[in-house]
Amino acid sequence: MSRRLALWAILLLALLPPGYYAWCMYWPQALPAAGVTLPLRLGSSTAQAITDLEHSGLLPYPKVFRLALVLAGKPSLQAGLYQFHGLLSQAELLRRLIRGQSTPLFLRVIPGWRLQDVYAEMAKDAPYLDLHGLPPAALAARQLPSLGVGSVSAEGWLYPDSYRYVPGESALSVLHRAAVRMQRQLARLWSDRAPGLPLQNPYQALILASVVEKEGASADQQARIAAVFLNRLRLGMPLQSDPTVIYAMGDRYQGALTAADMRFPSPYNTYLHKGLPPTPIAMPGYSSIAAVLHPARSNDLYFIAKGKQYFYTRHYAVHLQQIRRYLQGKPGASHAATP
């Protein structure tokens, strides 16, 4: 605080009635029974923050509050979502605002979510994020170059976790944090990958991990499912993964795949096209990436899932027997591939 400002504040204090400053700052006021919730947005000026505080009813003595800020050295008031209940003094209010003691806000990214699911989460449960600059959800996968992932698509590049933010923070900055986190995790896991994988680069690992993720298996099954897909890649067999067809169909998917759906024309349809899909089909979690880069030791080429049970085999004839035994006529049953 400058010497002139300090002298001005001392003079102003001297002109106040004895004890008035202390009474205004330290005498608690009773808040409404429901409390007061106030977002202080990132980038707001101190003057705007004080105006917001005054309009919310938290500052009965705004001039004294401004004086207190000067005496404190004009510290920054931290952005955040503040919730106040019961009795509150202006001194306690100032202390919480300076320290940033606000209610934490988080944007969730769940393993298996697509980019459109992250958008839906922002629209539903992140009302304090600044959505300026975000392309429409339908175009987001291919129009988020600011994520800096160097890819044709942002799909798959957000590491699943909860990301804390403050009111007014840019949604793009939060998504960028998630993308940087994914790049770092992927690079670390790729550098320690098992030898001999039929994958040319980390991006291919990310694509396959997204397919493994969408198969919906628990972490203890993912390494063996990954082995099936990797074995198929080695042999030039199509992956024939149902989730890739579902991704290709988009809103056309009605909850159950038909034989006609398996012929749906799309480069993502791994029943029609060999190799990996063009991009990831979801956000893979740590366990699915690790499963792809450290698969189980297995020569299996097929698997079926019956509830939480999985059955694997290398032989197509055995695979057909397993389908007849465990899945035939079972609604919702899934299986991997035909030859």
Side-chain angles (χ1 to χ4, degrees):
M1 182 168 57
S2 70
R3 181 179 178 84
R4 178 180 296 181
L5 195 59
L7 291 174
W8 174 84
I10 293 171
L11 177 61
L12 186 57
L13 271 177
L15 294 175
L16 291 175
Y20 181 74
Y21 174 85
W23 185 80
C24 292
M25 286 300 297
Y26 293 97
W27 187 263
Q29 63 166 322
L31 299 178
V36 176
T37 298
L38 176 70
L40 290 187
R41 297 188 175 275
L42 188 67
S44 294
S45 65
T46 299
Q48 181 61 56
I50 291 176
T51 298
D52 292 342
L53 289 164
E54 189 175 358
H55 288 167
S56 70
L58 292 170
L59 285 186
Y61 312 105
K63 292 181 179 179
V64 175
F65 188 82
R66 288 187 177 90
L67 175 59
L69 266 176
V70 172
L71 292 172
K74 300 190 74 174
S76 298
L77 303 182
Q78 302 299 314
L81 181 66
Y82 292 91
Q83 295 178 313
F84 304 100
H85 298 87
L87 298 174
L88 180 71
S89 69
Q90 290 197 165
E92 173 64 14
L93 173 65
L94 179 59
R95 184 186 68 82
R96 288 183 59 180
L97 295 176
I98 292 174
R99 295 185 178 183
Q101 293 178 328
S102 58
T103 300
L105 298 169
F106 295 96
L107 174 66
R108 299 180 306 160
V109 179
I110 304 298
W113 274 7
R114 295 170 54 182
L115 196 57
Q116 67 183 38
D117 298 315
V118 179
Y119 265 56
E121 175 75 1
M122 288 191 292
K124 178 184 176 183
D125 291 324
Y128 297 108
L129 270 179
D130 179 5
L131 304 182
H132 179 74
L134 280 178
L139 304 176
R142 297 187 180 277
Q143 292 189 5
L144 280 175
S146 58
L147 292 185
V149 295
S151 168
V152 297
S153 172
E155 191 75 88
W157 277 111
L158 304 180
Y159 189 79
D161 205 345
S162 293
Y163 296 89
R164 187 168 181 173
Y165 68 94
V166 294
E169 186 171 354
S170 165
L172 282 173
S173 71
V174 180
L175 297 182
H176 183 262
R177 274 193 276 144
V180 169
R181 180 93 179 276
M182 178 64 86
Q183 290 178 80
R184 289 174 178 171
Q185 290 281 25
L186 181 60
R188 184 177 65 82
L189 289 168
W190 176 261
S191 67
D192 189 42
R193 67 190 181 279
L197 298 177
L199 302 170
Q200 296 179 8
N201 51 55
Y203 189 53
Q204 289 191 349
L206 186 71
I207 294 173
L208 185 56
S210 74
V211 177
V212 172
E213 184 70 58
K214 290 302 288 183
E215 285 290 343
S218 58
D220 63 328
Q221 294 291 332
Q222 286 178 333
R224 196 160 179 187
I225 290 174
V228 170
F229 289 136
L230 289 165
N231 289 338
R232 282 179 162 258
L233 288 176
R234 288 188 182 95
L235 296 175
M237 297 174 65
L239 296 184
Q240 296 186 325
S241 171
D242 290 1
T244 64
V245 180
I246 294 170
Y247 185 86
M249 295 181 66
D251 293 338
R252 299 179 184 86
Y253 176 64
Q254 298 299 312
L257 289 175
T258 65
D261 293 335
M262 298 304 183
R263 298 187 295 274
F264 184 81
S266 168
Y268 286 90
N269 187 340
T270 57
Y271 281 85
L272 298 180
H273 302 279
K274 295 180 180 180
L276 297 168
T279 73
I281 61 172
M283 314 298 173
Y286 179 91
S287 64
S288 59
I289 301 173
V292 165
L293 295 176
H294 292 277
R297 293 185 177 181
S298 162
N299 60 4
D300 294 321
L301 295 173
Y302 308 93
F303 71 88
I304 63 171
K306 180 186 178 185
K308 295 183 179 180
Q309 287 185 296
Y310 285 78
F311 303 91
Y312 302 86
T313 182
R314 180 176 178 79
H315 304 289
Y316 183 58
V318 175
H319 177 59
L320 292 179
Q321 292 173 1
Q322 291 173 337
I323 291 175
R324 286 192 294 268
R325 179 176 180 182
Y326 297 111
L327 301 186
Q328 209 159 52
K330 305 291 193 304
S334 64
H335 63 90
T338 53

